[in-house]
Amino acid sequence: MDQPTQSYRNRLLQLLPRSDFDALRPHLKAVTLEYRQPLFEANQPLRSVYFPVTGVASLVNTMADGSASEVGTIGNEGIVGLPILLGDELTPMSAYVQVPGAGLHLRAEILRSALQHSAGMRTVMLHYAHAFFDQVAQSAACNHFHPIEQRCCRWLLMTHDRVQSDQFLLTQEFLGMMLGVQRTGVTLAARKLKGDGLIDYHRGQVSILDRKKLEGRACECYAVSKREFDRLLGPPTGSHA
């Protein structure tokens, strides 16, 4: 497959055939992804999609009583707006920026039209959809079987991969939502990892100090999900692996 030479450091865009990327390029708009910024709301038509570059988005399911749980995350390996890839525009979930950074905005109608005209683009995007659903399934099993500290290490590694920096904003509120636990549980896990010299954590700012030890402390779910993304999308450039 002929690959585009370009500076948009989103894995999906880099995987597109040159002609498909060139069709999208004029419509891609660089945007800043602010902390807590809503990217789409539950049960509202998706008018835009986002390709994160350094930011990370959370797909969130909110219950009738207002409690919320994260069901998946999207970074520079993917796209925020999965229903468009599957021929729909509605979802009962919302998407918010979890870790601030940069991304690329595209009108949903542009992507929808491009998908209709390119089998190559559809293949790339559906491979991502497959990998994302595998991530969601792995997370469900992980939350059931593994202790908080291992799960915390997993999510820190996933975020580290995506932001391409050893320092990033990740509040205990969001980390608790990701892990499906109370904030006190997150505090204890983060304190233990900090005391053991794996991370530093202060006012929501995480610094990865020892990635190798963090990988050793994580459950197998991190490696399982990473292998599946690499199998379907190919190894990322500039990864920590």
Side-chain angles (χ1 to χ4, degrees):
M1 183 181 292
D2 189 17
Q3 297 296 325
T5 300
Q6 40 83 18
S7 60
Y8 297 106
R9 305 292 290 179
N10 176 278
R11 199 163 167 183
L12 278 187
L13 293 179
Q14 290 183 312
L15 284 171
L16 294 179
R18 183 183 299 274
S19 58
D20 288 337
F21 175 76
D22 287 344
L24 295 183
R25 189 204 303 262
H27 306 283
L28 292 167
K29 178 183 177 183
V31 293
T32 299
L33 301 177
E34 303 285 355
Y35 175 58
R36 290 181 178 271
Q37 176 185 342
L39 301 180
F40 62 76
E41 299 287 355
N43 302 310
Q44 297 297 316
L46 273 69
R47 303 303 186 197
S48 301
V49 299
Y50 296 84
F51 296 91
V53 175
T54 56
V56 180
S58 283
L59 197 61
V60 176
N61 200 337
T62 303
M63 302 292 106
D65 63 0
S67 58
S69 176
E70 186 205 70
V71 296
T73 56
I74 305 104
N76 60 4
E77 79 291 340
I79 179 176
V80 182
L82 198 59
I84 300 299
L85 306 185
L86 303 175
D88 200 359
E89 63 175 10
L90 294 175
T91 172
M93 290 167 283
S94 303
Y96 299 92
V97 176
Q98 175 199 104
V99 179
L104 295 159
H105 169 273
L106 181 69
R107 296 199 314 275
E109 64 189 63
I110 299 295
L111 180 59
R112 187 181 293 112
S113 175
L115 287 167
Q116 290 174 350
H117 291 91
S118 172
M121 182 183 292
R122 290 197 300 272
T123 297
V124 170
M125 294 297 181
L126 290 177
H127 277 182
Y128 167 70
H130 184 181
F132 180 80
F133 287 131
D134 286 345
Q135 177 207 112
V136 171
Q138 191 72 38
S139 297
C142 184
N143 288 344
H144 182 73
F145 289 111
H146 296 142
I148 294 174
E149 184 180 312
Q150 286 188 320
R151 288 151 53 196
C152 185
C153 291
R154 177 198 177 202
W155 285 111
L156 289 171
L157 289 167
M158 289 176 65
T159 305
H160 190 213
D161 289 342
R162 288 156 162 173
V163 300
Q164 304 174 50
S165 171
D166 290 336
Q167 295 184 329
F168 48 88
L169 178 69
L170 187 62
T171 67
Q172 290 189 8
E173 176 187 2
F174 255 126
L175 193 52
M177 186 186 298
M178 291 160 67
L179 301 175
V181 298
Q182 296 295 322
R183 183 170 177 171
T184 52
V186 176
T187 300
L188 292 173
R191 187 178 298 162
K192 181 69 165 57
L193 296 174
K194 180 178 179 179
D196 291 345
L198 278 66
I199 66 169
D200 192 19
Y201 190 83
H202 182 67
R203 293 185 177 179
Q205 192 75 25
V206 175
S207 298
I208 304 297
L209 303 180
D210 195 326
R211 181 178 170 95
K212 287 296 184 184
K213 287 185 178 178
L214 201 62
E215 289 176 352
R217 198 77 69 88
C219 57
E220 76 262 26
C221 297
Y222 168 71
V224 170
S225 291
K226 186 177 187 306
R227 280 197 305 269
E228 189 67 358
F229 270 102
D230 290 351
R231 179 182 75 83
L232 289 162
L233 302 181
T237 58
S239 69
H240 297 284

